[in-house]
Amino acid sequence: MTSTGVIDLNDVELFASEGHHAAFRELRAHAPVYRNPGPDGSGFWALTRYEDVLAAYRDHDTYSSAHGAILGGSFRTGGDTASGDMLVASDPPRHRMLRRLMHPPFSPSMVARVSTQVRSLLAEGVARMRQEGGCDFALDFAPLLPVGALMALFGVGASDARHIVGLTRRMVGYRDPALCPQDDDERLRLAHAQADIFEYFADLLDERRDEPDRDDVLGMLLRARLNGLPLDDTQILYNCMNIAVGGNETSSYTTCAGFLALLRNPGEWRRLREDPGLLPGALEEILRWSSTNAYVQRVTLRDTRIHGVEIPAGEIVTLWNVSANRDPGQFREPDRFDITRDPNRHLSFGSGVHRCIGAPTGNAELAEAFTALIESGSAFRTAGDPVRLRSNFILGFTSMPIEIAG
Ligand code: HEM
């Protein structure tokens, strides 16, 4: 909330302090179709109830993805976007064609390769943590997930993968001084961070152009055909970027939030250690609890009305997963972390045509992380206050010190 008591969902401090849960409770109860204020009329609408968020996800005739999923996140200057070229920023029927092309990087065999690579990095990570008596979980352990995933998906070495994670971390953390110098204008900062990722993949594409047979994302996209034609460089690069940005921070920050929830709910952690068969359900609860991708953005293609509130065509509407996932209308005792919650139809991967194509990959990474932690047999505890990322889009941690208690 601002000093005047108005809820501002664009205020990153609200999310850094976990004050957002109280704000969303208020909005779900009293203003489920909320006009979030912004300077110079730049406000946006916010849907916060489960049923409304789900309905909007499923109604792509009314809610367009063409302007991208992040507020203020156009990918080119001049208001134009990656619209129609990047999977997440396209609408049907174009989206359907792109999605078909994007299936190979998410095949079961690729998911298995990601698991194997992540498992080997995590084994080293656990050994290091035991040797040193602890670590900064957010910096030293959780990023091993995207590093391993990128190595498998793009066929790059560990140091390149770490470099890409650094770039996507800066992009997602463009409003956090710990991750990105706050000197430029906010939109420019985001645009520069996006341009750096784009450039990295442009160089990789140049290296790989003559190797279309490679069994990795670039090889698959080089072989792909859209209406009988190869993808152009822009389409290839936007979709590499979509995979990197979509997968890097989400899986690692979800691991942080999930481990913190387990350490703060020792009874649940004990239950899981004693019966690792509970892991699949625990992962669903970790996904609901963390709601790492806090919202997605849409733009209305036509006038619409929700609970009597008119939203004209051409307006920005945000769909708040983090609020839907704590809606008491959908979840019994939503503020309780319960690894055996059933049913648990959370919206952390979205819904409808854009539902996360990387969900099996993300789930596999999370399963590896929590299996490694359980199998380490160590007793962990927090060793200082975790520091939350300054972002209202991705909920994460810039620091989370933990130590091994035995
Ligand atoms: C815990 C982990 C993850 C979470 C919470 C998450 C969340 C989401 C959400 C909410 C969407 C829907 C976006 C929208 O409707 O506009 C999405 C889409 C997407 N995600 Fe994930 N994601 C995760 C892991 C991954 C991974 C590991 C990858 C890739 C390796 C990935 C790649 C993508 C892509 C490419 C899309 C666009 C799909 C489309 O537009 O059809 N995600 N993700």
Side-chain angles (χ1 to χ4, degrees):
M1 284 188 216
T2 65
S3 50
T4 57
V6 175
I7 292 174
D8 181 7
L9 298 175
N10 222 1
D11 176 6
V12 290
E13 295 306 323
L14 186 67
F15 293 82
S17 65
E18 293 195 53
H20 55 288
H21 290 303
F24 285 126
R25 226 170 276 135
E26 182 90 5
L27 292 177
R28 284 192 304 266
H30 304 296
V33 186
Y34 180 61
R35 179 73 193 169
N36 197 89
D40 309 324
S42 67
F44 55 86
W45 297 93
L47 303 182
T48 50
R49 283 190 190 159
Y50 184 94
E51 56 177 334
D52 298 332
V53 171
L54 182 62
Y57 265 122
R58 294 190 170 168
D59 182 2
H60 47 77
D61 290 331
T62 304
Y63 298 96
S64 168
S65 290
H67 295 261
I70 179 169
L71 284 164
S74 288
F75 286 95
R76 289 176 196 145
T77 49
D80 196 3
T81 69
S83 174
D85 284 334
M86 185 189 260
L87 185 65
V88 77
S90 60
D91 287 330
R94 178 86 171 170
H95 173 264
R96 207 162 24 247
M97 294 192 280
L98 283 175
R99 180 116 177 169
R100 206 172 304 134
L101 301 185
M102 289 281 274
H103 274 137
F106 300 100
S107 66
S109 66
M110 189 55 113
V111 172
R113 264 159 62 188
V114 168
S115 287
T116 307
Q117 184 63 63
V118 167
R119 191 177 315 138
S120 121
L121 293 185
L122 290 174
E124 292 166 23
V126 167
R128 236 180 352 257
M129 193 169 12
R130 289 174 67 104
Q131 204 176 7
E132 291 170 11
C135 70
D136 190 320
F137 195 84
L139 298 177
D140 305 325
F141 191 81
L144 298 173
L145 274 66
V147 167
L150 290 166
M151 289 169 74
L153 286 163
F154 288 96
V156 295
S159 84
D160 266 41
R162 274 196 297 273
H163 176 64
I164 306 170
V165 171
L167 294 177
T168 54
R169 187 148 281 205
R170 187 159 60 86
M171 186 203 133
V172 161
Y174 77 103
R175 296 174 79 186
D176 191 323
L179 294 179
C180 187
Q182 304 288 291
D183 39 13
D184 283 341
D185 165 78
E186 219 169 69
R187 287 181 79 100
L188 269 179
R189 229 183 292 144
L190 178 57
H192 286 152
Q194 287 167 335
D196 288 347
I197 303 171
F198 202 83
E199 252 172 54
Y200 172 85
F201 283 113
D203 289 344
L204 189 65
L205 176 59
D206 280 342
E207 270 175 40
R208 298 283 178 79
R209 208 179 288 284
D210 300 327
E211 300 177 74
D213 297 331
R214 285 180 70 111
D215 191 17
D216 55 28
V217 173
L218 272 171
M220 290 167 188
L221 293 178
L222 281 165
R223 291 194 296 278
R225 293 291 176 270
L226 191 60
N227 294 326
L229 296 171
L231 302 185
D232 62 31
D233 284 5
T234 312
Q235 291 166 329
I236 292 180
L237 295 174
Y238 274 138
N239 288 297
C240 288
M241 191 166 159
N242 195 169
I243 292 175
V245 176
N248 284 7
E249 271 43 72
T250 46
S251 59
S252 95
Y253 288 144
T254 302
T255 306
C256 292
F259 197 41
L260 189 61
L262 287 165
L263 295 182
R264 285 181 173 167
N265 294 272
E268 296 302 278
W269 183 216
R270 196 175 322 112
R271 274 212 293 169
L272 183 57
R273 283 202 328 258
E274 284 169 7
D275 182 1
L278 297 176
L279 187 59
L283 294 183
E284 294 303 324
E285 182 67 343
I286 285 169
L287 284 159
R288 182 189 75 89
W289 190 256
S290 54
S291 298
T292 300
N293 192 164
Y295 73 84
V296 299
Q297 170 187 259
R298 298 292 190 259
V299 172
T300 45
L301 292 170
R302 56 190 182 198
D303 299 353
T304 189
R305 173 187 279 266
I306 313 174
H307 303 303
V309 179
E310 285 284 350
I311 304 181
E315 293 277 305
I316 294 175
V317 181
T318 47
L319 283 48
W320 289 87
N321 300 323
V322 60
S323 176
N325 282 342
R326 297 275 183 116
D327 185 341
Q330 175 68 19
F331 300 98
R332 201 163 41 87
E333 294 187 77
D335 295 322
R336 198 160 69 84
F337 179 73
D338 172 5
I339 61 167
T340 51
R341 180 178 292 280
D342 183 28
N344 191 351
R345 295 191 199 94
H346 63 76
L347 295 179
S348 292
F349 286 125
S351 185
V353 296
H354 287 279
R355 185 178 188 278
C356 181
I357 193 171
T361 314
N363 274 329
E365 291 177 39
L366 294 177
E368 291 299 338
F370 287 96
T371 301
L373 292 167
I374 294 168
E375 290 182 352
S376 76
S378 303
F380 300 96
R381 62 174 173 231
T382 52
D385 289 334
V387 182
R388 288 192 161 264
L389 176 70
R390 262 61 184 166
S391 169
N392 63 346
F393 180 59
I394 293 289
L395 305 185
F397 297 86
T398 50
S399 175
M400 189 179 139
I402 60 157
E403 61 191 15
I404 292 184

